[in-house]
Amino acid sequence: NGVTEILQKDAASCMTVHDKFLALGTHFGKVFLLDIQGNLTQKFEISPVKINQISLDESGEHMGICSEDGKVQVFGLYTREGFHENFDCPVKLLLYEKNWLNRWKTSTLHEGEGTITNVQWRANLIAWANNMGVKIYDISTKQRITNVLRDNVSLRPDMYPCSLCWKDNSTLIIGWGSSIKICVVKERGHTELRDLPSRYVEIVSAFETEFFISGLAPLADQLVTLYFVKENSDHMEEEFRARPCLDIIQPLPEGYEEISSDALTVRNFQENECRDYRLEHSEGESLYYIISPKDIVVAKERDQDDHIDWLLDKKKYEVGVIIIQSSRLHVGTLYFASRKCQKVLGKNMELWENEVYRFKTIGQLKAISQYLPRGDLRLRPAIYEMILHEFLKSDYEGFATLIREWPGELYNNMTIVQAVTDHLKKDPMNSTLLTTLAELYTYDQRYDRALEIYLRLRHKDVYQLIHKHDLFSSIEDKIVLLMDFDKEKAVDMLLDNEDKILIDRVVEELRDRPELLHIYLHKLFKRDHHKGQRYHERQIGLYAEYDRPNLLPFLRDSIHCPLEKALEICQERNFVEETVFLLSRMGNCRRALQMIMEELEDVDKAIEFAKEQDDAELWEDLISYSIDKPPFITGLLNNIGTHVDPILLIHRIKEGMEIPNLRDSLVKILQDYNLQILLREGCKKILVADSLSLLQKMHRTQMRGVRVDEENICESCHASILPSDMAQNFSVVVFHCRHMFHKECLPSPGTIPGVQFCNICSAKRRGPGSGILEMKK
């Protein structure tokens, strides 16, 4: 369930089990709450690093989480209230308690012996492990009562961590490396030594194993162990050693007895180590959870069902049948017995048929239906038909289920079709029977009959049936039915298969249903503006009748519709916006503008239209029409400033005319003008600043030092720029263009006094060189 998706992107690091749910921690610092089936119910982003351990209280309302970075968080699962503590390193064991003021009081239970790697709390006893060993603390007396030392100190504790498990309120099981110890906390009784704790610990069993322990859990008086096989166990194959094993062992005072052993093939087991596995258990249901980075396995105790399976696998049929018969008497169900028929009867067809008739005599054919052979071994068709008839008498849903699950060749299809038809005479509108009949027709490849039923039922599988069996030729006369069922799906299917159902054929079928024809042609136009061009003239009327909002976009995008016909339809229906567009498209912009102003009386739209056309005559018409209409003048003053000089409009306003909001309009014109001035000044400042910055950068670049060495030559005599004898006096001239000359090799000065040109690149320059640097010894 949810675990599969979680472990595809992340890896499990720990888990804890509660009667109500599971809490799973991961390497990416997340905690997921799951139900017992593994479905995700909640997710918490806890830390950027691995979660090491999770603890839950008995009520399942509070959770404690410890992460790899030493951060511990405790909070309510429903309130998210609580506290968290940060440590530089988890080397302290702290106990938080609330005092009578409801404040947290902190007590240090242990520190100074390195990292604490595991903590387990049961009743009044707290057990924890560090690199030195395991300690137990009694909360009721506030005393530490024992220290169980680690046995094999040569094993790295980070590679072979300590496993702690409370069997009950006083029994602690410790597994570390290859060592297992069972410790019982007991009352000391009366003693004269007052400094001794009132309790002590007795190790009732201690032994070494042949494997490395990854987890421990109690099973009655036995132990469930999850372990890694030791590398030096040569008697085991390499693949077996790589897999984790789940054993049940019986502890003895100085050893143990192995009861059972299972090697588990978990995902990516070849890459895992001893520390990568955890074992958790649920006391209420005797469930055991094996946690690995990429897999979680649930183990449970076997029941009588498993026992019978084992007997049948071992071919102990007589014992198995006795138990089955006992189950019939005591459990009162035949389903358990019928399920065992698969193993008891095997591939003996005669035995199978005899058993089926035995079930028939006691009126329980339904019980054995799902277990009948349907693979290589098949019974006579009459057997399957007998069971189908039994379901058809009283259970239409069960009958339909068998028809879907059983291959059609198990029975005579025509016989069952006739039986279903007879039942439909009594109940002609029964959707279950009709659907099943359609499926039977499909098995028999009578797709036309099946299609008729699906369309009659408006069944969702009708489109799947058409595609799967290529029934496009069969639906040419059923297009109206398909569109009445689901317009969107039908049109998409028709357009996706234009090569099988031609556009002309669809239009012909929909000629008497113009509303459906419009939907089809509209979607066709959206896909390709040219495929249905012969129907664009018809579409004008369809859009006008059924979909006016899309008429104007259609007129804009189509280059095939006749404009005169479109104009006629729009004028008949008084569609002003569409008429305006058509008039402008036909070149009659002045008439279009006149309609906007006279019929729509929308100055903003008129201004927008004039802007789109960008025609001086239109602006003149607009001003002339608006000059005696104060509201229009206000709109023009507010909007035409970027296209027409407002002074031209202001000069034509009659004296004494009252114009609404004239002051605001004039202020806006002035503000717009000021804004333009500010923008120009701002641009000028930016330009000057950029020019100055670039000039300074150029100056700094030209003033940089120039390296001169033996590899440089004089551009005039082509000799080395430096003399072979550096003791001699010499002068070198370097132009800013990086050409170098001996001073005596320089050409004569130019016509401009004080300006020297580079002899090499002067022809490429329109002005003097970029400067001269002269160096003298």
Side-chain angles (χ1 to χ4, degrees), residues 132-143:
M132 304 299 293
V134 176
K135 283 78 175 169
I136 300 178
Y137 182 86
D138 187 350
I139 295 179
S140 61
T141 61
K142 300 188 181 301
Q143 291 178 312

PDB file of all heavy atoms in Angstrom, residues 132-143:
ATOM      1  N   MET A 132      29.474   1.263  26.486  1.00  0.00           N
ATOM      2  CA  MET A 132      29.995   0.490  27.609  1.00  0.00           C
ATOM      3  C   MET A 132      29.084  -0.687  27.967  1.00  0.00           C
ATOM      4  O   MET A 132      29.555  -1.748  28.378  1.00  0.00           O
ATOM      5  CB  MET A 132      30.152   1.392  28.838  1.00  0.00           C
ATOM      6  CG  MET A 132      31.020   2.623  28.590  1.00  0.00           C
ATOM      7  SD  MET A 132      32.703   2.202  28.104  1.00  0.00           S
ATOM      8  CE  MET A 132      33.288   1.463  29.623  1.00  0.00           C
ATOM      9  N   GLY A 133      27.793  -0.527  27.856  1.00  0.00           N
ATOM     10  CA  GLY A 133      26.878  -1.587  28.236  1.00  0.00           C
ATOM     11  C   GLY A 133      25.467  -1.076  28.341  1.00  0.00           C
ATOM     12  O   GLY A 133      25.099  -0.051  27.757  1.00  0.00           O
ATOM     13  N   VAL A 134      24.632  -1.809  29.114  1.00  0.00           N
ATOM     14  CA  VAL A 134      23.219  -1.488  29.271  1.00  0.00           C
ATOM     15  C   VAL A 134      22.943  -1.147  30.731  1.00  0.00           C
ATOM     16  O   VAL A 134      23.384  -1.866  31.644  1.00  0.00           O
ATOM     17  CB  VAL A 134      22.333  -2.663  28.831  1.00  0.00           C
ATOM     18  CG1 VAL A 134      20.856  -2.353  29.095  1.00  0.00           C
ATOM     19  CG2 VAL A 134      22.548  -2.982  27.361  1.00  0.00           C
ATOM     20  N   LYS A 135      22.236  -0.045  30.969  1.00  0.00           N
ATOM     21  CA  LYS A 135      21.855   0.377  32.319  1.00  0.00           C
ATOM     22  C   LYS A 135      20.341   0.312  32.463  1.00  0.00           C
ATOM     23  O   LYS A 135      19.611   0.453  31.467  1.00  0.00           O
ATOM     24  CB  LYS A 135      22.308   1.820  32.604  1.00  0.00           C
ATOM     25  CG  LYS A 135      23.792   1.966  32.914  1.00  0.00           C
ATOM     26  CD  LYS A 135      24.641   1.918  31.678  1.00  0.00           C
ATOM     27  CE  LYS A 135      26.108   2.204  32.021  1.00  0.00           C
ATOM     28  NZ  LYS A 135      27.009   1.920  30.888  1.00  0.00           N
ATOM     29  N   ILE A 136      19.873   0.126  33.710  1.00  0.00           N
ATOM     30  CA  ILE A 136      18.436   0.133  34.004  1.00  0.00           C
ATOM     31  C   ILE A 136      18.209   1.087  35.162  1.00  0.00           C
ATOM     32  O   ILE A 136      18.923   1.052  36.173  1.00  0.00           O
ATOM     33  CB  ILE A 136      17.922  -1.277  34.353  1.00  0.00           C
ATOM     34  CG1 ILE A 136      18.165  -2.249  33.189  1.00  0.00           C
ATOM     35  CG2 ILE A 136      16.424  -1.235  34.688  1.00  0.00           C
ATOM     36  CD1 ILE A 136      17.728  -3.665  33.465  1.00  0.00           C
ATOM     37  N   TYR A 137      17.206   1.948  35.012  1.00  0.00           N
ATOM     38  CA  TYR A 137      16.884   2.972  36.011  1.00  0.00           C
ATOM     39  C   TYR A 137      15.455   2.771  36.485  1.00  0.00           C
ATOM     40  O   TYR A 137      14.538   2.525  35.679  1.00  0.00           O
ATOM     41  CB  TYR A 137      17.050   4.357  35.393  1.00  0.00           C
ATOM     42  CG  TYR A 137      16.794   5.512  36.337  1.00  0.00           C
ATOM     43  CD1 TYR A 137      17.810   6.003  37.148  1.00  0.00           C
ATOM     44  CD2 TYR A 137      15.538   6.114  36.396  1.00  0.00           C
ATOM     45  CE1 TYR A 137      17.579   7.071  38.001  1.00  0.00           C
ATOM     46  CE2 TYR A 137      15.298   7.188  37.237  1.00  0.00           C
ATOM     47  CZ  TYR A 137      16.329   7.664  38.046  1.00  0.00           C
ATOM     48  OH  TYR A 137      16.101   8.719  38.900  1.00  0.00           O
ATOM     49  N   ASP A 138      15.256   2.869  37.809  1.00  0.00           N
ATOM     50  CA  ASP A 138      13.927   2.721  38.428  1.00  0.00           C
ATOM     51  C   ASP A 138      13.384   4.112  38.747  1.00  0.00           C
ATOM     52  O   ASP A 138      13.918   4.829  39.598  1.00  0.00           O
ATOM     53  CB  ASP A 138      14.047   1.883  39.699  1.00  0.00           C
ATOM     54  CG  ASP A 138      12.667   1.553  40.277  1.00  0.00           C
ATOM     55  OD1 ASP A 138      11.672   2.128  39.790  1.00  0.00           O
ATOM     56  OD2 ASP A 138      12.605   0.721  41.192  1.00  0.00           O
ATOM     57  N   ILE A 139      12.319   4.507  38.034  1.00  0.00           N
ATOM     58  CA  ILE A 139      11.752   5.846  38.238  1.00  0.00           C
ATOM     59  C   ILE A 139      11.115   5.968  39.614  1.00  0.00           C
ATOM     60  O   ILE A 139      11.179   7.016  40.265  1.00  0.00           O
ATOM     61  CB  ILE A 139      10.710   6.148  37.144  1.00  0.00           C
ATOM     62  CG1 ILE A 139      11.389   6.218  35.783  1.00  0.00           C
ATOM     63  CG2 ILE A 139       9.994   7.461  37.417  1.00  0.00           C
ATOM     64  CD1 ILE A 139      10.437   6.481  34.650  1.00  0.00           C
ATOM     65  N   SER A 140      10.479   4.890  40.082  1.00  0.00           N
ATOM     66  CA  SER A 140       9.751   4.973  41.348  1.00  0.00           C
ATOM     67  C   SER A 140      10.678   5.274  42.517  1.00  0.00           C
ATOM     68  O   SER A 140      10.299   5.984  43.458  1.00  0.00           O
ATOM     69  CB  SER A 140       8.995   3.668  41.596  1.00  0.00           C
ATOM     70  OG  SER A 140       9.904   2.577  41.676  1.00  0.00           O
ATOM     71  N   THR A 141      11.916   4.734  42.481  1.00  0.00           N
ATOM     72  CA  THR A 141      12.876   4.983  43.573  1.00  0.00           C
ATOM     73  C   THR A 141      13.959   5.971  43.170  1.00  0.00           C
ATOM     74  O   THR A 141      14.807   6.326  43.995  1.00  0.00           O
ATOM     75  CB  THR A 141      13.535   3.666  44.000  1.00  0.00           C
ATOM     76  OG1 THR A 141      14.254   3.108  42.875  1.00  0.00           O
ATOM     77  CG2 THR A 141      12.491   2.667  44.469  1.00  0.00           C
ATOM     78  N   LYS A 142      13.951   6.387  41.861  1.00  0.00           N
ATOM     79  CA  LYS A 142      14.954   7.310  41.320  1.00  0.00           C
ATOM     80  C   LYS A 142      16.370   6.775  41.564  1.00  0.00           C
ATOM     81  O   LYS A 142      17.276   7.475  42.013  1.00  0.00           O
ATOM     82  CB  LYS A 142      14.806   8.705  41.930  1.00  0.00           C
ATOM     83  CG  LYS A 142      13.445   9.337  41.664  1.00  0.00           C
ATOM     84  CD  LYS A 142      13.395  10.767  42.096  1.00  0.00           C
ATOM     85  CE  LYS A 142      12.026  11.377  41.850  1.00  0.00           C
ATOM     86  NZ  LYS A 142      11.632  11.320  40.434  1.00  0.00           N
ATOM     87  N   GLN A 143      16.543   5.472  41.267  1.00  0.00           N
ATOM     88  CA  GLN A 143      17.840   4.823  41.446  1.00  0.00           C
ATOM     89  C   GLN A 143      18.196   4.014  40.202  1.00  0.00           C
ATOM     90  O   GLN A 143      17.313   3.433  39.552  1.00  0.00           O
ATOM     91  CB  GLN A 143      17.805   3.863  42.652  1.00  0.00           C
ATOM     92  CG  GLN A 143      17.697   4.549  44.006  1.00  0.00           C
ATOM     93  CD  GLN A 143      17.613   3.534  45.123  1.00  0.00           C
ATOM     94  OE1 GLN A 143      16.845   2.584  45.050  1.00  0.00           O
ATOM     95  NE2 GLN A 143      18.420   3.736  46.156  1.00  0.00           N
TER      96      GLN A 143
END
